Amino acid sequence: MAIVDLNREAVKDGLADNSVLLIDVREPNEFASGHIPGSVSFPLSDFDVERLQALIAADGRRPVLSCAAGVRSARALQYLQSQGIALSEHYVGGFKDWANAGETVE
């Protein structure tokens, strides 16, 4: 399964229409110092595939992974795919792209 790179506009649109569950895989201190509004923290250092699947199933929206710049989210997708989890989308620019574009940050 391929990894699908989403740009800022695609993520922004998905958040605006409530179709995207943005899962931030940065560490808790990074998330606490600033994150994309509406995203949920799910750090790689405490990555639990079953807990992630439960979060996605309970939420019902399309899951999209995000990190600081797209590297960790792509790595997480590769790992999930190797475990048979059919997730493929991530925010290629990540939080840095979002913040540098002047988008709202919580």
Side-chain angles (χ1 to χ4, degrees), residues 11 15 18 20-28 30-32 34-44 47 51-67 73 95 106:
V11 171
L15 290 170
N18 207 32
V20 164
L21 168 62
L22 192 61
I23 302 168
D24 190 325
V25 299
R26 297 177 303 151
E27 294 307 304
E30 293 174 284
F31 188 84
H35 58 273
I36 297 169
S39 62
V40 296
S41 179
F42 202 93
L44 276 181
F47 211 69
R51 195 166 53 89
L52 179 63
Q53 287 179 299
L55 169 68
I56 292 167
D59 187 276
R61 292 177 287 170
R62 191 173 102 230
V64 174
L65 300 188
S66 179
C67 63
S73 56
F95 180 75
E106 288 185 340

Side-chain angles (χ1 to χ4, degrees), residues 49 78-85:
V49 175
Q78 289 171 337
Y79 172 72
L80 290 165
Q81 290 174 4
S82 77
Q83 300 300 303
I85 310 300

